[in-house]
Amino acid sequence: MFFFYVFLYFYLLVSYMYSEKDKVYPIMLSIYHDIGIDKQYSYFIMKMDISYLSFINIISDQEVSKEELMNMGKQDIALKSYFKNNDRFADLINTGIYNGIQVVKPDDLEELDTDSSLYIHTQGMKIPLARVRDVIRKSAGDCEYVIYGVENQSSIHYAMPLRVMMYDTLTYEAECRQFVNARRNRKDSEYLSKMRKKDRIHPVFTLVIYYGEAPWDGARSLKDMMVDMPKWMEKRFNDYPMKLLEIGTCRNTFQNQDIFNFIKIIQLLYSDKVEELQRYYANIKVGRDTAELVGTITENEEILNYVKEHKDEEEINMCEATKRWEQRWTRKITDGFINMMGVRKEGEENLAPEEAIERLKLKEKIEGEAKGKAEEKIEIAEKMKEKGYSTKEIEELTGILLH
């Protein structure tokens, strides 16, 4: 019986993936109950299952290899961990949202639950909407407190403004639901909204960090996703602009030295300015976690290996860390040229460029001599033809086939 439930369970998960959620959801709860899982845990497990499937649905629309998926996961985890540091998070928000004004103070930041999932009630059913933020904090300021979220993007998402709006809306909705749980007795006029006239929610800001190498060419606001509208309509359209920090091209001045180094190194690597990087960081070391994050984001195995080899050091010499990468990069280009020459023999993976050039010269010399001899034979054949020699005689004397 157990194996039947296992089979049915995975069948239902696949059905969920293919948009039969309204039918699958209550059956899944029933399965959890039948195999002995309490109802309170059933909702928790289902939320994990559905969060996973929501993730699969998102990536299944893109052509992503298993290796790329693994790298995306590593990069996302690394960035989340890096910006959990309140000093970095505060500078990130102050620079990315407030253009350098020191609004958020590290000591005022409090961690919030990253899970923004909720249930939508429709037609007598509870439909789960699973959303998990990357990093979220709240901070006291000029108002009671403000909520700040950070979303990491490795690739361009052409519906990102809508996605950000969804995250913000779910956060506002979660705040409103607190009023429902806190107060059961409401006036008739407050019953529909489930909040009192004097109840207030807190402002939410979301900053998108895009760390891909290609320039962001996606929408930056909800309006950018719309069809063309006449000017009079644009003025009345409720737009939702997105706050985007593009690592590869940003020119913001960060106060936090870790973030400054992280962005500067990424930009120099993306633009292949390795010599400039080595000159700038010749006498400057960076934090170990910053160097590791750079290696993870750029998928640079040489930097990551260098950090591992210097595991006892809290600061890393990026000049030395990038030398191996530069040597490997140079070797890769050289190997490409050698392959184009067509002079590499089987088993000669480390053929020296000097030897390859000498072989190419010899090859060209031999081919040149052969070409000269062939042209000489053709000239003789043409003269013989003029003097009346037969085709058979010309072929026998010159070795050239004329038919």
Side-chain angles (χ1 to χ4, degrees), residues 37-262:
I37 300 175
D38 291 341
K39 189 174 181 179
Q40 60 179 352
Y41 298 114
S42 297
Y43 284 103
F44 173 72
I45 295 171
M46 170 159 287
K47 186 161 66 174
M48 290 195 298
D49 292 336
I50 290 172
S51 296
Y52 170 75
L53 285 171
S54 297
F55 175 64
I56 293 298
N57 272 328
I58 291 168
I59 64 167
S60 64
D61 292 334
Q62 307 171 30
E63 293 183 5
V64 182
S65 67
K66 183 179 179 181
E67 185 179 355
E68 288 173 326
L69 182 56
M70 291 294 291
N71 286 333
M72 285 164 58
K74 290 177 183 176
Q75 292 166 343
D76 194 45
I77 291 169
L79 277 167
K80 287 178 184 178
S81 176
Y82 192 76
F83 286 114
K84 278 188 175 181
N85 177 286
N86 281 350
D87 289 322
R88 293 170 184 159
F89 188 88
D91 192 41
L92 185 69
I93 297 301
N94 288 333
T95 306
I97 292 179
Y98 296 116
N99 297 321
I101 302 172
Q102 301 303 296
V103 175
V104 180
K105 296 178 176 58
D107 293 339
D108 294 337
L109 288 167
E110 294 181 37
E111 190 168 356
L112 294 176
D113 187 0
T114 57
D115 190 352
S116 299
S117 305
L118 52 77
Y119 293 99
I120 298 174
H121 295 262
T122 177
Q123 297 179 348
M125 293 186 60
K126 294 197 329 185
I127 306 299
L129 186 59
R131 291 291 184 274
V132 179
R133 282 184 176 271
D134 289 335
V135 186
I136 188 168
R137 297 279 190 277
K138 74 174 183 178
S139 170
D142 294 337
C143 60
E144 189 175 40
Y145 68 82
V146 181
I147 299 171
Y148 298 104
V150 170
E151 297 302 319
N152 303 315
Q153 278 299 121
S154 61
S155 56
I156 299 168
H157 195 305
Y158 292 106
M160 199 66 200
L162 184 60
R163 185 174 166 187
V164 168
M165 188 171 71
M166 175 79 74
Y167 278 122
D168 293 350
T169 302
L170 290 175
T171 305
Y172 288 130
E173 175 67 14
E175 285 226 316
C176 290
R177 288 181 181 234
Q178 293 176 3
F179 301 136
V180 178
N181 297 331
R183 304 181 186 94
R184 295 294 179 184
N185 298 319
R186 294 178 294 271
K187 297 178 182 178
D188 291 341
S189 59
E190 298 169 339
Y191 182 80
L192 184 62
S193 61
K194 295 182 176 60
M195 62 184 290
R196 297 184 304 181
K197 182 178 179 180
K198 66 178 183 179
D199 287 336
R200 293 293 180 268
I201 58 179
H202 299 87
V204 177
F205 292 88
T206 297
L207 177 65
V208 177
I209 303 176
Y210 169 61
Y211 54 89
E213 190 170 356
W216 181 275
D217 62 355
R220 293 172 183 263
S221 69
L222 191 63
K223 189 174 74 173
D224 291 343
M225 296 174 60
M226 299 294 125
V227 296
D228 291 338
M229 294 183 286
K231 293 295 182 183
W232 62 267
M233 187 180 290
E234 278 189 21
K235 293 178 182 179
R236 292 162 176 81
F237 177 72
N238 290 327
D239 198 7
Y240 203 88
M242 176 182 72
K243 301 185 188 312
L244 176 70
L245 181 67
E246 193 173 353
I247 296 297
T249 60
C250 76
R251 294 293 178 263
N252 307 70
T253 303
F254 287 89
Q255 302 296 318
N256 184 277
Q257 195 62 37
D258 289 339
I259 301 180
F260 172 83
N261 286 328
F262 165 63

Side-chain angles (χ1 to χ4, degrees), residues 305-361:
N305 289 335
Y306 185 89
V307 172
K308 287 178 183 177
E309 290 169 10
H310 296 77
K311 58 184 178 181
D312 297 329
E313 299 177 17
E314 290 301 317
E315 293 187 323
I316 300 296
N317 187 324
M318 287 304 296
C319 178
E320 292 297 322
T322 54
K323 277 184 179 178
R324 293 183 190 175
W325 175 79
E326 183 186 24
Q327 290 167 357
R328 183 169 175 266
W329 183 69
T330 304
R331 180 69 204 183
K332 188 176 180 180
I333 293 174
T334 303
D335 283 347
F337 281 121
I338 291 174
N339 289 334
M340 288 172 64
M341 292 177 187
V343 295
R344 192 196 301 272
K345 297 177 183 178
E346 187 176 351
E348 293 183 328
E349 287 78 13
N350 298 316
L351 179 64
E354 295 79 11
E355 175 65 21
I357 292 170
E358 288 301 318
R359 289 185 186 181
L360 183 63
K361 288 179 179 178

